[in-house]
Amino acid sequence: MFERLPSNWMLVIKSIGYWFWLIPVLGIPLSYYWSLNSQYANAWPWLVVLVVFGVIPLLDFIIGRDPANPDEAVQVPQMEQQGYYRLLSLITVPALLGMLGWAGWVFVNHEAWSWVGQLGWVLSVGTVTGAIGITVAHEFIHKDPQLEQNAGGLLLAAVCYGGFKIEHVRGHHVHVSTPEDASSSRYGQSLYAFLPHAYVHNFLNAWKLEAERLKRKSLPALHWRNELIGWYAISALFLLGFSLAFGWLGALFFIAQSVVAFTLLEIVNYVEHYGLHRRKLENGRYERTNPTHSWNSNFLLTNLFLFHLQRHSDHHAYAKRRYQVLRHFDDSPQLPNGYAGMIVLALFPPLWRAVMDPRVRAYYAGEEHQLTDSQLTHS
C-alpha cells in the first residue's frame, strides 16, 4: 500500500505514526469503560490481546511493507539530533506507569468480572507493558544519556526484568547468534524449550556480568554499586506499593503482568534469531555481527507500534542507532509477517517449523554444513 511512496513522504508519515503506541495504552481504559454495564463484560478485558495478536497481523498483510530508509549523509544526522523523537519515547514512561497503577486498582476493585475477565485484563496489561514498555526500555538502555538509561531501567523494573538492562547490552549483543547466547534460539528448538533456559540465564548472565565489572573495581558482587541489585530493589518497591495500596490481589496483579510482559520479550527474542548463527572463523572467533544475523520484519504498521524494533538486523549491526533512523536491508533474512503474527505462530511449534525451517535452510543453501554444525552444537 505504501511501498511506492517517495521516501521523504514515508519519513513524514512515520514521524506521526510513531504515536501509535498510544493506541494499545489507551485501549486498556477503553476496554474497561466499554465493559461497564455490558452483557459481555468478561469479553472486553480481552480487547487489547485480540487486537494485537488477531487484527494487527492481518493489517500487516494489507498495509504492507515500508521501503523508506533515511539518507545517511543528510537525513540521518538531522533526525538523530531532533529532540522530538526522544521526547516521544520519554513520554511513554509516565503514561505506562500511570496506566499500570490504575489497572491494578481496577483488577482489585472491579467486581463485575469473573476470573475470565480478570485473566484477559492481566494478559492485556502485560501485553502493553511488554510490547510498548520493554520495547521503549530496549531503546533507552542502548543510549548514553543517563536520563534514558534510568528511564529504561525503571520500565524494566516495572516488569521485574531489570537483568535485561545488563545482559542484553553486555551479553546478548556480544554473543548474539552463537552458542554462548541464551537469547538466540536454535534451529529446530521449540519456543517451550527455549523459554525456561532464557528466563534463568537472563538473570544468571546479568549477575555474572555485574560481578565481573565490580571485580575489576576491586569490589564484591554484593555491593550497593551492583546495578542488578538496584533495579530489582525498585521492582520490590513496586511490589510493596501494589501490596500496600491494593492488598494481596494487587501484589498478584503486579507479578502476573510482569510475567506476561517478560515472557513476551523472550518470545520476541526467539522470533528474532531463530536458526541463525555467526560462523566461526579459523582463529576460533566468531565473525563480526552484521545485518544477516537477525530476522528482519519490515511491515509498516507493527514497526510504527514498536518504534522500528522489527528493523532488528540494523539494530544488531549498529546498536546505538536511534529508532527513527534504523534501516531496512533487502539481503537480511526476512520474516513473513510482523512480530505480532510471528508470536502467534511461535506458540504452535509444528506450524512455526513448517513456516520457518524452510526459510532457515534456504538461508544456508550451499553451506548446509553450517546448519548441521549449528544443530549439533546446540543439541
Side-chain angles (χ1 to χ4, degrees):
M1 183 181 293
F2 291 92
E3 294 182 27
R4 295 186 179 181
L5 286 181
S7 180
N8 287 343
W9 288 23
M10 283 303 304
L11 293 176
V12 172
I13 290 171
K14 288 196 293 184
S15 69
I16 300 169
Y18 290 128
W19 285 99
F20 280 3
W21 67 267
L22 276 169
I23 295 175
V25 176
L26 294 177
I28 296 298
L30 282 176
S31 63
Y32 165 73
Y33 288 115
W34 288 339
S35 77
L36 297 177
N37 301 316
S38 169
Q39 65 181 111
Y40 305 109
N42 284 304
W44 283 110
W46 292 83
L47 177 66
V48 171
V49 173
L50 294 175
V51 170
V52 169
F53 298 111
V55 176
I56 288 180
L58 296 176
L59 291 178
D60 269 333
F61 276 121
I62 295 170
I63 294 172
R65 293 175 170 85
D66 166 24
N69 284 334
D71 177 76
E72 285 293 317
V74 178
Q75 292 174 319
V76 168
Q78 290 177 347
M79 292 172 69
E80 285 196 326
Q81 295 302 314
Q82 289 175 353
Y84 166 78
Y85 292 100
R86 189 180 178 203
L87 177 63
L88 193 157
S89 56
L90 285 168
I91 289 173
T92 64
V93 180
L96 286 165
L97 296 182
M99 181 277 295
L100 180 60
W102 176 82
W105 177 86
V106 170
F107 180 82
V108 172
N109 291 285
H110 188 55
E111 298 179 352
W113 295 336
S114 70
W115 69 268
V116 175
Q118 290 179 320
L119 177 61
W121 188 248
V122 168
L123 291 174
S124 289
V125 173
T127 295
V128 174
T129 54
I132 306 300
I134 295 181
T135 294
V136 176
H138 170 264
E139 171 73 15
F140 289 152
I141 64 177
H142 279 288
K143 303 304 176 283
D144 294 327
Q146 196 61 47
L147 175 62
E148 289 170 293
Q149 283 284 313
N150 291 339
L154 185 61
L155 288 174
L156 291 171
V159 294
C160 301
Y161 224 51
F164 181 76
K165 184 176 187 296
I166 298 163
E167 202 286 326
H168 179 79
V169 176
R170 290 188 257 152
H172 175 62
H173 269 263
V174 174
H175 301 297
V176 63
S177 298
T178 72
E180 286 76 23
D181 182 37
S183 294
S184 294
S185 50
R186 324 306 185 196
Y187 177 76
Q189 184 181 33
S190 77
L191 173 65
Y192 303 103
F194 169 82
L195 283 176
H197 185 71
Y199 292 145
V200 172
H201 284 270
N202 181 287
F203 177 83
L204 293 180
N205 291 347
W207 183 267
K208 179 182 176 182
L209 288 165
E210 269 298 89
E212 290 173 350
R213 182 183 71 85
L214 291 169
K215 185 178 181 180
R216 291 193 294 270
K217 297 177 179 292
S218 300
L219 296 172
L222 288 172
H223 192 274
W224 66 268
R225 292 176 66 180
N226 185 319
E227 189 176 358
L228 193 64
I229 294 174
W231 292 120
Y232 278 107
I234 293 176
S235 295
L237 290 175
F238 271 114
L239 179 59
L240 178 63
F242 273 82
S243 301
L244 293 175
F246 310 126
W248 71 270
L249 277 176
L252 176 64
F253 168 80
F254 175 71
I255 293 171
Q257 67 83 29
S258 295
V259 172
V260 174
F262 65 66
T263 297
L264 190 59
L265 161 66
E266 294 297 357
I267 298 175
V268 169
N269 276 332
Y270 176 86
V271 167
E272 287 171 339
H273 301 289
Y274 178 76
L276 302 178
H277 66 277
R278 286 151 59 193
R279 295 157 180 83
K280 206 164 192 177
L281 305 177
E282 293 182 359
N283 61 8
R285 296 185 176 184
Y286 293 101
E287 63 180 326
R288 183 176 178 178
T289 306
N290 64 56
T292 68
H293 295 132
S294 304
W295 289 98
N296 202 61
S297 179
N298 205 33
F299 288 88
L300 174 62
L301 182 62
T302 311
N303 257 330
L304 293 176
F305 276 110
L306 299 180
F307 295 88
H308 264 170
L309 180 68
Q310 295 181 143
R311 288 190 168 184
H312 206 63
S313 300
D314 194 21
H315 167 69
H316 264 283
Y318 305 95
K320 286 190 178 294
R321 287 178 72 95
R322 291 190 174 268
Y323 70 89
Q324 66 267 26
V325 295
L326 287 172
R327 299 160 296 177
H328 166 72
F329 294 96
D330 287 330
D331 56 351
S332 298
Q334 302 295 313
L335 293 171
N337 195 245
Y339 279 5
M342 299 309 298
I343 288 168
V344 174
L345 191 66
L347 297 176
F348 303 94
L351 294 178
W352 171 266
R353 295 201 64 183
V355 171
M356 291 303 297
D357 283 9
R359 286 174 165 79
V360 177
R361 290 194 295 269
Y363 177 75
Y364 287 108
E367 47 178 348
E368 285 79 5
H369 65 282
Q370 291 282 351
L371 186 56
T372 303
D373 290 345
S374 174
Q375 286 178 271
L376 293 174
T377 302
H378 305 303
S379 60

